[in-house]
């Protein structure tokens, strides 16, 4: 809604309606009339130029449009102690419904992405909802890894009912400890020893008998069996001594031959006896082995029978116990003290089965085990896990290694669970940004979701890079999980655009809004949220004025007086800081002043950069005029953001014109300081100029437009209307009142469009004017469409109310140029031209002059003007 | 110590070193090379049958080389065992029969206090053992290990004395106390256990009674008291005595030659095949 007194004057027409302030009566203008005494000479001059057409003086926005104030009395309570706290969020029905839907869709591709601004309370709300839902769910099964006796590098996964994995682990430790106690005694016991001795005696007796018989036989033949380092040797003997060669050679041939034959025959016999020894020894060992196995089996069966009985209803456990039992029987020697000679007197046995490396393969690695004891009921509820550091290993699990003798070794007990394991059967919350910043983690998560299983493997193996030490390939665990990613909107949209898997896995988006609509009901709901914050943090109660001020600040945070920000984090900070300031002031109730103090203190803590920027303007380092008038120069407005703090800053925009070839040079773009959006705005500017003024006459214009003293880059088109004003001023040679600052985007039709940060921009210029002293002729032009967003500071509202500062809302360039110059913009007449005394008329005349001079120059120089647009 | 240079038995060597350390003496080793084998090498038909049953010619050179290697290994083993037990070991190589070699050594160096066998005794060797003890001039006993002696870690900690009569008890107790103090754990000395063994229950009871009287009169050494306790009373056949000994699982057993446990007539097979501790056999 624009505030104009009467109708806009057209050329040749008198204004209709009265203008009380100006004293102009209907119809004619009389210089002697008292009625015109209130009209400035400037305005009168304009009226004369326009043939008596009245110039409508625009009205600034009324105070009520500058800030939407909450009347404390309208809230209907005295303090927040009278308000029912509202836990959770308000105005997020869309998002909460999406979460509800997503958590109930039991499908692996309906995971949830919760998007929204930070501090919107989405994480807290999400966790609260999930906790409530999970509490009613069934507890998921336990999972453990056990040694694979057939393929040790492929540990087996064991599924157990909830709460029983740890019981199984404890039971196995107990069984091993039992074997550690009974096996040594068993093999030292009389039963085993006597049976073993019997076996030894049988085989030894056999050997001894054979050797003894051979000895006797040899002795009967006067042949001795001698021991040598190489074995045995048979020698002819006489009277206990070996017969010397010369004596032997002196014997008759027949005797010698017979003796040699006897020796040879005995050697053969001895050889056969000795050859049988290894086989005999093997048989003996075999018998002892059978005996050992028999004793071992009895002990192992006894040790494991209680475990088997306790887990008889879990076939996988029974199968594993069978395998473990067989292995224990085969390796029963692990439980018998070694004792290998003199040096072994100081052998210390490890204190328990867990620490003894010999028994590791019989233990149970509980990956996911609900805490349970035999005398408590089984656990309930699904897990809700929030992984705050979603690196690859924390997510998927890891296989750890230990260094031993220069090598890296591992076994199934060194496998560690990840968040996917812990949340299996439940919910897993992950911050999307952290996930994406962790190498391999996002891809690993997607793999797990697509395959519906958790497979632990080193990242080097999945990426194909790096050296992979000896590692394991454990059996995968089935995955049934709901993953909820939280993050800002840009992350969601980037993933949706660039990752082909993303939307297929995260089909539910829970979009948290920034703000809710203002309404009496929502104002009260806001009060309920504030009461909840006060209750949660045990703060002082706030009175209605304090709550009202907080609601206003909520609108300010939303940058829209028709909205309230639901970024609960910021509201919570405000409430807590107001509580602090109330305490500092000795108050027991938070009131309006405390909230205002909190707001001011927040700004004060953050606005050092703004102060420095302001200082440069006040000291004239950065040139900004706030009075007088200049041709081709307008105060533009920009918003700076430093961290979370935003502030507005005026910036001089200038335009120079000359005869040219229809090019409007964007200096920022030429200097590569202009962004794409700014360039677009400048092109639109050209479209407007050409569309309005170059239908009959070529545009022989050469113009440059720039942001003076701007070296850090410019983007956005919120200054495009400002740039047009500067250009029109330069073309029309009409000074622009420097007490104004302008913001607004423009389209090719000259319609002023909405921009962002209107409040900060206005405040930025106000602060500069206020520092120099408000004159009453200063103000800001904003797009009409931005009026609904105004939630200006109270001091600006007060200044406007006092008439020392003004805010104007415009819808078209023509409206704006009239305010800025005080000269009517002018409408095109039936002859297609603009009245000469109007801005449009003067611009038209100037451009025609350019075109004619360019043509004459071109004729004399042999060239012709072109109608190129913006320099490309 | 006497050993044929085939291979000294580890448990026997260890027992010998332990006893030497207990008595704070040194060990003289005789590595006995059989002259008969040397003589045999001069026969052209001489052959050896290896432990695997392989028959090969026996030459002087081959025998000398093998003998030299075996001797070196034995010396090395004895030296290492001596260093481990902190006992001085001197080794001499002789070519003689065992008894002749021992007798000659006694004649040259003087009689030994104790003789140790570096080879295990078989169950059938009890008579030979007793004969050897009778023949070795000067030695008060023989340290030997049976074929079933295991590593020290598997043995118990006590020094067990088999008391078959009272006359030898003081001598055996002195030996037991020495063995109990040496190589004992840092925490204290090994206990000494007394196992009374008699032919009959009455005889055992009588010995037990005398033992108690004697023990009551014996003054305890206040500097380093050794715990002496009765391990029990056994009687009966060598098999029963041997079983009683086996159950004690002693670190070393002290017994007399020619008694019930180790009769001189060769019936010590149960003992030598069962007891897993080295034995100090006294006259």
């Amino acid at each position: 809604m624009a505030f104009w007194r009467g109708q806009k004057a057209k050329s040749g027409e008198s204004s209709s309606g009265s203008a009380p302030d100006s004293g102009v009566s209907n119809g004619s203008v009389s210089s002697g009339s008292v009625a015109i005494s209130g009209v400035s000479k400037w305005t009168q001059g304009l009226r004369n130029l326009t043939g008596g057409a009245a110039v409508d003086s625009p009205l600034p926005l009324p105070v009520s449009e500058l800030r939407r104030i909450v009347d404390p009395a309208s809230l209907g309570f005295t303090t927040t102690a009278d308000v029912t706290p509202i836990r959770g969020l308000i105005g997020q029905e869309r998002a909460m419904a999406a979460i509800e839907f997503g958590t109930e869709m039991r499908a692996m591709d309906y995971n949830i992405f919760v998007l929204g601004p930070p501090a919107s309370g989405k994480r807290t709300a999400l966790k609260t909802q999930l906790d409530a839902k999970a509490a009613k769910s069934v507890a998921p099964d336990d999972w453990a890894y056990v040694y694979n006796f057939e393929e040790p590098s492929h540990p087996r996964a064991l599924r157990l009912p909830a709460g029983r994995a740890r019981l199984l682990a404890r039971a196995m430790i107990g069984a091993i400890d039992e074997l550690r106690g009974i096996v040594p005694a068993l093999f030292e016991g009389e039963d085993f020893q006597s049976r073993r001795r019997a076996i030894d005696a049988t085989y030894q007796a056999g050997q001894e008998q054979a050797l003894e018989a051979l000895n006797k036989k040899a002795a009967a033949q006067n042949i001795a069996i001698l021991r040598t380092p190489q074995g045995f040797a048979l020698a002819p003997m006489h009277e206990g001594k070996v017969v010397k060669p010369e004596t032997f050679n002196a014997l008759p041939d027949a005797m010698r031959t017979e003796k040699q034959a006897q020796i040879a025959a005995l050697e053969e016999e001895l050889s056969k006896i000795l050859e049988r020894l290894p086989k005999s020894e093997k048989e003996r060992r075999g018998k002892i082995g059978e005996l050992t196995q028999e004793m071992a089996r009895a002990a192992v069966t006894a040790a494991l029978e209680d475990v088997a009985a306790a887990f008889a209803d879990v076939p996988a456990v029974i199968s594993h116990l069978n395998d473990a039992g067989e292995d224990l029987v085969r390796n029963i020697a692990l439980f018998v003290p070694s004792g290998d000679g003199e040096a072994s007197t100081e052998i210390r046995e490890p204190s328990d089965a867990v620490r003894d490396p010999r028994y590791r393969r019989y233990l149970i690695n509980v990956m996911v085990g609900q805490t349970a004891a035999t005398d408590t009921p089984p656990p309930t509820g699904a897990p809700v896990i929030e992984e705050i550091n979603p690196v690859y290993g924390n997510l998927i699990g890891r296989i750890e290694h230990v260094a031993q003798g220069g090598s890296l070794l591992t076994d199934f007990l060194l496998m560690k669970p990840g968040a996917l394991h812990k949340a299996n059967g439940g919910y897993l919350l992950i911050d999307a940004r952290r996930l994406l910043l962790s190498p391999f983690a996002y891809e690993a998560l997607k793999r797990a979701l697509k395959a519906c299983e958790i497979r632990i493997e080193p990242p080097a193996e999945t990426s194909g890079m790096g050296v992979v030490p000896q590692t394991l390939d454990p059996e995968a665990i089935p995955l049934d999980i709901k993953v909820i990613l939280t993050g800002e909107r840009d992350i969601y949209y980037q993933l949706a655009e660039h990752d082909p898997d993303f939307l297929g896995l995260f089909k539910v988006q829970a979009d948290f809004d920034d703000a809710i609509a203002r309404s009496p009901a929502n104002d009260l709901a806001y009060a309920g949220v504030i009461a909840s914050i006060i209750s949660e943090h045990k703060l002082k109660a706030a009175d209605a004025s304090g709550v009202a001020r907080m609601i206003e600040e909520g609108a300010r945070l939303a940058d829209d007086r028709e909205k309230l920000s639901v970024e609960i984090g910021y509201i919570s900070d405000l409430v807590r800081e107001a509580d602090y300031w109330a305490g500092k002031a000795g108050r027991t109730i938070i009131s309006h002043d405390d909230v205002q103090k909190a707001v001011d203190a927040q700004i004060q803590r953050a606005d050092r950069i703004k102060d420095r920027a302001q200082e440069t303007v006040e000291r004239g380092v950065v040139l900004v005029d706030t009075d007088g008038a200049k041709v081709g120069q307008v105060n533009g407005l920009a918003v700076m953001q430093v961290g979370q703090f935003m502030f507005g800053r005026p910036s001089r925009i200038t335009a120079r014109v000359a005869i040219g070839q229809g090019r409007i040079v964007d200096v920022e773009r030429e200097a590569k300081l202009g962004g794409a959006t700014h360039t677009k705005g400048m092109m639109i500017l050209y479209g407007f100029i050409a569309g309005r003024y170059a239908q009959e006459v070529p545009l022989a214009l050469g113009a440059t437009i720039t942001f003076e003293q701007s070296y850090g880059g410019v983007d956005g088109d919120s200054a495009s209307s400002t740039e047009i004003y500067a250009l029109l001023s330069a073309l029309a040679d009409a000074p622009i009142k420097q007490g104004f600052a302008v913001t607004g985007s423009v389209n090719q039709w000259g319609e002023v469009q909405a921009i962002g940060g209107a409040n900060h921009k206005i405040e930025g210029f106000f602060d500069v004017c206020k520092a120099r002293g408000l004159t009453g002729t200063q103000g800001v032009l904003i797009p009409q469409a931005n009026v609904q967003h105004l939630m200006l500071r109270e001091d600006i509202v007060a200044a406007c109310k006092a008439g020392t500062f003004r805010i104007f809302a415009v819808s078209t360039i023509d409206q704006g140029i009239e305010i800025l110059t005080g000269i009517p913009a002018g409408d095109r007449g039936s002859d297609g031209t603009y009245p000469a005394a109007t801005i449009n008329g003067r611009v038209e005349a100037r451009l025609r002059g350019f075109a004619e001079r360019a043509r004459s120059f071109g004729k004399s120089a042999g060239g012709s003007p072109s109608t190129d647009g913006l320099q490309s | 110590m006497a050993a044929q240079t085939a291979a000294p038995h580890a448990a026997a060597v260890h027992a010998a070193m332990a006893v030497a350390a207990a008595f704070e003496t040194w060990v003289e080793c005789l590595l006995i090379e059989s002259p008969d084998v040397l003589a045999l090498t001069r026969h052209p038909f001489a052959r050896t049958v290896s432990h695997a049953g392989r028959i090969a010619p026996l030459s002087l050179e081959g025998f000398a080389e093998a003998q030299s290697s075996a001797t070196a290994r034995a010396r090395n083993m004895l030296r290492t065992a001596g260093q481990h037990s902190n006992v001085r070991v001197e080794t001499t190589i002789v070519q003689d029969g065992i008894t002749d070699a021992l007798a000659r050594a006694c004649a040259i160096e003087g009689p030994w206090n104790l003789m140790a066998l570096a080879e295990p005794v078989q169950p059938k060797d009890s008579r030979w053992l007793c004969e050897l003890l009778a023949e070795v001039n000067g030695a008060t006993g023989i340290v030997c290990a049976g074929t079933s002696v295991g590593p020290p870690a598997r043995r118990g900690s006590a020094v067990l004395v088999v008391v078959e009569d009272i006359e030898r008890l003081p001598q055996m107790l002195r030996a037991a106390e020495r063995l109990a103090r040496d190589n004992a754990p840092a925490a204290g000395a090994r206990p000494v256990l007394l196992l009374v063994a008699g032919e009959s229950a009455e005889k055992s009871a009588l010995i037990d009674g005398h033992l108690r009287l004697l023990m009551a009169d014996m003054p305890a050494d206040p500097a380093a008291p050794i715990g002496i306790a009765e391990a029990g009373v056994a009687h009966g056949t060598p098999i029963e005595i041997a079983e009683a000994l086996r159950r004690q699982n002693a670190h070393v057993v002290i017994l007399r030659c020619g008694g019930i446990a180790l009769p001189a007539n060769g019936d010590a097979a149960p003992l030598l095949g069962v007891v897993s501790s080295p034995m100090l056999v006294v006259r």
Side-chain angles (χ1 to χ4, degrees), chain A residues 588-657:
Chain A
T588 57
I589 298 279
I590 300 171
S591 68
H592 171 280
D593 290 348
D594 302 315
V595 180
Q596 185 61 51
K597 175 67 177 173
V599 170
D600 293 341
Q602 280 182 354
I603 293 171
Q604 199 266 336
R605 288 195 297 274
D607 71 349
R608 185 185 68 86
I609 301 293
K610 176 187 171 228
D611 278 354
R612 294 292 87 79
Q614 175 93 349
E615 187 182 326
T616 60
V617 173
E618 289 172 17
R619 294 175 65 183
V621 174
V622 172
L623 300 177
V624 173
D625 290 339
T626 53
D627 59 12
K630 280 207 180 134
V631 171
Q633 177 175 304
V634 185
N635 289 319
L637 293 170
V639 171
M640 314 293 290
Q641 181 158 6
V642 183
Q644 285 183 345
F645 181 65
M646 290 169 60
F647 63 94
R649 191 170 71 96
S651 180
R652 178 179 289 181
I653 295 174
T654 59
R656 297 301 303 268
V657 295

Side-chain angles (χ1 to χ4, degrees), chain A residues 316-459:
Chain A
V317 172
I318 299 301
S319 170
H320 173 70
L321 288 177
N322 289 339
D323 293 341
E326 288 302 319
D327 193 82
L328 281 165
V329 169
R330 278 194 301 272
N331 294 284
I332 202 66
L334 292 173
F335 294 88
V336 179
S338 53
D340 54 354
E342 299 88 349
S344 62
T345 53
E346 294 301 319
I347 290 175
R348 287 197 197 90
E349 294 286 327
S351 56
D352 56 39
V354 176
R355 291 182 182 77
D356 196 322
R358 294 176 291 179
Y359 311 126
R360 284 177 71 83
R361 60 176 178 260
Y362 306 115
L363 302 180
I364 308 291
N365 183 357
V366 178
M367 297 291 275
V368 181
Q370 308 280 343
T371 305
T374 51
D375 56 352
T376 60
T380 58
V384 178
I385 302 295
E386 182 176 8
E387 180 50 63
I388 59 174
N389 184 24
V391 295
Y392 181 92
N394 287 352
L395 207 56
I396 300 297
R398 52 169 58 88
I399 301 172
E400 294 180 347
H401 292 75
V402 291
Q404 218 172 68
S407 300
L408 290 174
L409 304 178
T410 187
D411 66 11
F412 75 106
L413 288 174
L414 292 177
M415 292 167 53
K416 298 288 184 270
L420 285 176
H421 295 93
K422 296 172 193 169
N424 200 359
Y427 308 92
L428 176 61
L429 278 68
I430 306 174
D431 180 274
R433 180 175 297 274
R434 290 201 190 115
L435 177 70
L436 293 170
L437 287 174
S438 305
F440 311 119
Y442 179 53
E443 288 301 318
L445 176 66
K446 287 195 293 178
R447 267 201 306 278
L449 290 176
K450 282 190 212 172
C452 298
E453 65 180 23
I454 313 169
R455 184 175 292 279
I456 302 178
E457 46 195 355

Side-chain angles (χ1 to χ4, degrees), chain A residues 216 456 461:
Chain A
K216 284 183 181 164
I456 302 178
E461 213 166 85

Side-chain angles (χ1 to χ4, degrees), chain A residues 69-80:
Chain A
I69 303 216
V70 177
D71 179 8
S74 68
L75 295 174
F77 58 83
T78 308
T79 72
T80 50

Side-chain angles (χ1 to χ4, degrees), chain A residues 10-11 36 63 79 95 115 125 180 203 237 260 265 395 419 435 456 501 577 599 621 714 737 774 794 818 849 861:
Chain A
K10 293 187 181 175
S11 59
I36 66 168
V63 166
T79 72
L115 58 156
R180 289 173 75 237
Y203 283 88
M237 304 293 284
Q260 289 179 24
L395 207 56
L435 177 70
I456 302 178
D501 298 324
E577 291 177 28
V599 170
V621 174
V714 173
K737 295 171 189 170
L774 297 172
E794 288 174 337
E818 287 185 358

Side-chain angles (χ1 to χ4, degrees), chain A residues 857-871:
Chain A
F857 178 78
K859 275 184 181 171
S860 63
S864 62
S866 78
T867 55
D868 287 345
L870 199 64
Q871 184 176 5

Side-chain angles (χ1 to χ4, degrees), chain A residues 197, chain B residues 121 123 144-150 155 160 162 195 238-239 241-255 261 268-280:
Chain A
R197 280 199 301 277
Chain B
V121 288
C144 63
T147 50
S148 57
V149 170
R155 307 203 289 263
L160 183 72
V162 181
L195 177 68
I239 294 175
I241 303 297
E243 184 53 33
L245 276 173
R246 190 199 69 78
R247 281 200 295 272
Q248 294 301 321
N249 193 25
H251 193 74
V252 64
V253 174
I254 303 175
L255 70 168
L271 176 75
L272 294 174
V274 161
V275 171
S276 58
S277 319
M279 292 168 288
L280 172 55

Side-chain angles (χ1 to χ4, degrees), chain B:
Chain B
M1 179 186 300
Q4 293 196 20
T5 54
H9 192 256
V13 169
H14 175 77
M17 296 299 167
V19 171
F23 285 86
E24 295 176 354
T25 184
W26 59 286
V27 174
E28 181 185 359
C29 296
L30 295 180
L31 297 178
I32 301 173
E33 296 178 355
S34 168
D36 289 337
V37 180
L38 196 61
L40 180 61
T41 60
R42 292 170 52 213
H43 286 279
F45 58 82
R47 285 185 290 273
T48 57
V49 182
S50 71
H51 292 286
R54 211 160 58 91
I55 301 174
L58 173 63
S59 67
L60 178 61
E61 293 77 19
F63 170 71
E65 190 180 332
Q67 185 72 55
S68 172
S69 297
T71 303
R73 279 197 301 274
R75 277 186 130 145
N76 207 31
M77 181 199 190
L78 291 164
R79 182 176 59 243
T80 304
Q83 285 170 352
H84 185 78
S85 304
N86 206 22
V87 169
R88 181 165 69 94
V89 175
E90 293 196 2
T91 311
T92 309
I93 301 171
V94 298
Q95 288 182 354
D96 215 331
I98 289 183
T99 48
D100 291 340
L102 290 172
R104 197 162 292 124
C106 287
I108 295 171
E109 296 285 347
W112 285 325
N113 302 99
L114 210 61
M115 200 192 79
L117 298 179
E119 296 186 13
V121 288
Q122 306 285 336
K124 60 179 174 55
D125 293 334
S126 67
R127 182 180 300 177
W128 173 81
L129 193 62
C130 292
E131 287 172 358
L132 183 63
L133 188 59
E135 283 192 36
V136 176
N137 189 23
T140 56
I142 297 179
V143 179
C144 63
T147 50
S148 57
V149 170
R154 289 236 184 124
R155 307 203 289 263
S157 63
V159 177
L160 183 72
V161 179
V162 181
V163 182
E164 297 184 57
D165 57 70
I166 294 299
E167 293 81 17
R168 290 179 181 76
L169 183 59
Q171 170 200 8
M172 294 165 86
L173 272 181
R174 278 198 296 277
E177 284 176 353
R178 276 196 176 258
L179 288 172
R181 284 211 172 86
D182 186 61
N183 290 333
R190 302 181 188 280
V192 173
L193 299 180
L194 307 177
L195 177 68
V196 173
E199 291 157 345
S200 64
E202 294 75 19
K203 187 72 187 293
S204 296
L206 187 64
I207 298 171
D208 188 37
H210 283 294
L211 174 63
R212 288 174 188 279
L213 289 171
L214 186 64
M215 292 295 295
D217 289 340
M218 275 178 68
D221 183 351
I226 302 289
I228 302 177
E230 275 203 36
V233 178
H235 64 274
T237 62
I239 294 175
E240 289 159 326
I241 303 297
E243 184 53 33
L245 276 173
R246 190 199 69 78
R247 281 200 295 272
Q248 294 301 321
N249 193 25
H251 193 74
V252 64
V253 174
I254 303 175
L255 70 168
R256 77 173 177 92
C257 185
I260 304 171
L262 184 61
N265 61 359
D267 284 343
L271 176 75
L272 294 174
V274 161
V275 171
S276 58
S277 319
M279 292 168 288
L280 172 55
V281 180
V282 300
R283 287 179 183 280

